[in-house]
Amino acid sequence: MADSLVIVESPAKAKTIGKYLGSKFIVKASMGHVRDLPKSQIGVEVENDFNPKYITIRGKGSVLKELKDASKKVKKVYLAADPDREGEAIAWHLAHALELDDTQDCRVVFNEITKQAVKDAFKSPRKINMDLVNAQQARRILDRLVGYKISPLLWKKVKKGLSAGRVQSVAVKIIMDRENEISAFVPEEYWTITAKLGIRDSLFEAKFHRLNGEKKELGRESDVQEVLKAIAGADFIVSEVKEKERQRHPSAPFTTSSLQQEAARKLGFRAAKTMSVAQQLYEGVELGKEGTVGLITYMRTDSTRISATAQEEAKELISSKYGENFLPETPRQYSKKAAGAQDAHEAIRPTSALREPDAVKEFTSRDQYRLYKLIWERFVSSQMASALLDTLSVDIAVGTAVFRAVGSKVSFPGFMKVYVEGNDDGTTEEDKYLPLLQAGDKLVQHEIDPKQHFTQPPPRYTEARLVKTLEELGIGRPSTYAPTLETIQKRGYVAIEEKKFMPTELGELVIEQMEQFFPEILDVEFTAHMEGDLDHVEEGSEDWVKVLGEFYQSFEKRLEVAEEEMKEIEIVDEVSDELCEKCGKPMVYKLGRFGKFLACSGFPDCRNTKPIIKDIGVGCPKCHEGKVVERRSKKGRVFYGCDRYPECDFVSWDKPSSKPCPECGSWMIEKRNKQGVRLQCTSCDHTENLEENDEEAAE
């Protein structure tokens, strides 16, 4: 007979924990939050110390009734929500809703869902931590005040349906600032001179380095001509060879931020997808005879700390699988680097390093397997020896100039045997081998290649870059990155083109108004300071009501000024050349979540809308009558289809090329990867690189 009730957030977590605890425990799921602020009103009594008026979330009444009934049949109720601020708040809300005594030891937390960790956690339950609860309440109320006070003002002065958020607004501002940088960027010319040289049947490249003993910038063609004149007719002679060994150290185990960044780079996952799949791995996967097992530790963390037990297990694995020489002299420890990192939990790691990815592959989905493999490899590599690389730097004298060739090779792979961190540019570090060279060697000149280049503007933000920037600036915390990026897209403030963020006209309009009347909301330092204050509330060193009061004092004055001085902006729809096929009135351009679309000017009498068709200049490969046009799915993803739809149902996620396959004549598509853009035949195995002018057109 069960004498204890355990409440967790999800059925999957309930299933896993139930198997570990046995028949004396009933484990049920609250399905997330059960209470929240009402949607229909602000729900905060500002004059009464920001007292929140919580209500039962619509649809959760039956869940609460089931939990209440179950709680009355047992002697003890344990609240086992996730081990973070939000989980603590869920536990507190449950305690109030079920009329439990929250001063009793009813709270149970564990960083990993394994049999031992769960059983150990139930040996030492604790009281609900009100500092954590108040930190979460303060964040929720702070965001509610900003959203529910500024949004109606934007509806009234700008456009109905607009909304403003605290962290989200800063994220949009960062994206908009980058776009302004790109617009204002003035390319600068520069040149390079590469010499293709040979010795004993080996070819290698060297680049111009110095002239007349000094570094010389090649800013114009005249600079290049000066160098070419100086080396004309001269021999290429090796003047100096420098060899040295350098170490390359492994990356720290994953935090929430670094996991989102690396999953974006290596797996192409959006931040929200990464967190969703990680949640599944954390809550438990059925592993055949082994039963349901939580495969990773808790995935919302800013810590790179690893337990001694996990390190010992990693040491055992590395020693047996790769050899003693792949172990570092002492176990690796990583310090926290992120602004405001709390170090509350361990880094994200496998619950057992001995459970290799291939052992779980048959029991997991493709996405679960790929993410688990990434986490496993990152953790194991973080506990391995450094890699050793032999580097060679060769100076080559030619006339009064010096060219330099640099090469390296891995002499001992160390951690690189398992994993190498990606980067935001998508480039890979490849070994550049040089032939055996020594001072005095005379080299054969095969080619001198001067090339003109232009500096490039700073890149637009990918999800990985934006998450990294938010973390470095101290904006948001591990649990906020994914929902922040989702929100700014849902509100139509940013759009994604080729996996990069661009501000929409709507986003720019809102940020302009916010900058004028609520500059502190968009101020990075102010927002980071607010995050610090919330952390102090969590630590118990700040009073949450005081933090809110200090913020609201100046915020309220800003609201009054904005109400008086913000001018009403009339957004005039741009009239298109197209007529509505339903009523004959002109179609106008409207701005929606995924950019511009066409709508009938006769709205609301006529509600006809249609997407703006972008002709990519390729004939339909299926019907050979229509043209291929760019469209967007309901979720905003770009795809390509025939403009004769529905007569022709041709559709492709990849951009078709106008160039037929030279081998079989079938149509080809553009495929993007880290090395650039390639054309791939849809019928045979033929692939080819895009020519430079084709690639520019593709961009």
Side-chain angles (χ1 to χ4, degrees), residues 647-667:
E647 285 81 10
C648 175
D649 61 358
F650 169 77
V651 68
S652 170
W653 288 114
D654 298 299
K655 186 176 181 180
S657 170
S658 58
K659 183 178 181 180
C661 175
E663 293 187 11
C664 71
S666 294
W667 59 288

Side-chain angles (χ1 to χ4, degrees), residues 10-24:
S10 75
K13 192 174 176 182
K15 181 181 177 183
T16 308
I17 292 171
K19 289 188 176 182
Y20 297 154
L21 294 178
S23 60
K24 289 189 176 181

Side-chain angles (χ1 to χ4, degrees), residues 526-631:
F526 177 85
T527 307
H529 179 72
M530 283 301 305
E531 293 291 355
D533 285 344
L534 293 174
D535 291 340
H536 295 148
V537 172
E538 178 177 331
E539 295 159 6
S541 58
E542 281 275 14
D543 178 69
W544 70 282
V545 175
K546 180 187 171 190
V547 168
L548 290 173
E550 289 174 352
F551 165 78
Y552 196 74
Q553 191 174 11
S554 61
F555 180 63
E556 189 175 30
K557 292 175 183 175
R558 292 279 189 191
L559 281 169
E560 291 172 2
V561 172
E563 188 71 47
E564 290 293 323
E565 298 182 9
M566 188 183 287
K567 295 177 181 177
E568 289 191 29
I569 299 172
E570 184 182 359
I571 301 177
V572 180
D573 294 322
E574 181 185 351
V575 180
S576 75
D577 296 330
E578 294 194 43
L579 297 177
C580 176
E581 61 268 29
K582 291 187 178 180
C583 71
K585 291 184 179 178
M587 300 288 279
V588 294
Y589 292 105
K590 292 278 189 181
L591 194 58
R593 178 180 165 191
F594 302 117
K596 287 185 175 181
F597 65 95
L598 287 170
C600 181
S601 59
F603 180 87
D605 297 326
C606 178
R607 296 176 176 268
N608 184 31
T609 64
K610 58 183 181 180
I612 296 171
I613 303 299
K614 181 180 176 183
D615 185 353
I616 66 167
V618 177
C620 178
K622 187 170 185 178
C623 70
H624 305 292
E625 294 179 30
K627 296 177 181 177
V628 176
V629 294
E630 182 181 298
R631 300 180 185 272

Side-chain angles (χ1 to χ4, degrees), residues 281 285-287 295 355-370 372-373:
L281 296 174
V285 174
E286 189 76 37
L287 299 182
L295 293 180
R355 191 177 289 110
E356 296 185 39
D358 283 350
V360 305
K361 188 173 184 179
E362 65 177 298
F363 305 107
T364 53
S365 68
R366 181 172 181 267
D367 288 341
Q368 288 173 340
Y369 168 73
R370 293 170 73 206
Y372 179 72
K373 186 171 185 284

Side-chain angles (χ1 to χ4, degrees), residues 160-278:
K160 193 165 184 179
L162 294 183
S163 57
R166 190 175 58 91
V167 176
Q168 296 94 318
S169 296
V170 179
V172 177
K173 174 73 162 53
I174 290 170
I175 292 166
M176 197 170 112
D177 286 347
R178 176 55 56 88
E179 199 65 24
N180 291 336
E181 284 182 62
I182 293 170
S183 298
F185 182 79
V186 179
E188 292 184 10
E189 179 186 12
Y190 71 98
W191 290 70
T192 56
I193 305 174
T194 305
K196 188 171 282 187
L197 306 170
I199 186 172
R200 296 184 299 276
D201 300 326
S202 295
L203 288 176
F204 66 97
E205 291 183 348
K207 290 188 178 293
F208 168 73
H209 185 57
R210 295 195 304 270
L211 184 66
N212 299 322
E214 296 180 357
K215 287 277 288 181
K216 180 176 178 59
E217 299 295 330
L218 304 178
R220 298 180 301 275
E221 190 173 4
S222 57
D223 297 325
V224 175
Q225 294 302 325
E226 184 183 351
V227 175
L228 295 178
K229 185 178 179 181
I231 67 173
D235 291 328
F236 283 77
I237 307 293
V238 175
S239 59
E240 185 178 15
V241 178
K242 291 181 182 176
E243 292 183 71
K244 66 177 181 179
E245 184 180 77
R246 70 179 177 92
Q247 287 188 328
R248 184 173 174 183
H249 305 299
S251 302
F254 282 131
T255 62
T256 302
S257 167
S258 59
L259 175 63
Q260 290 176 4
Q261 292 172 52
E262 195 72 341
R265 297 180 191 120
K266 291 197 169 184
L267 307 180
F269 284 8
R270 302 282 298 278
K273 180 175 181 176
T274 298
M275 297 309 290
S276 174
V277 177

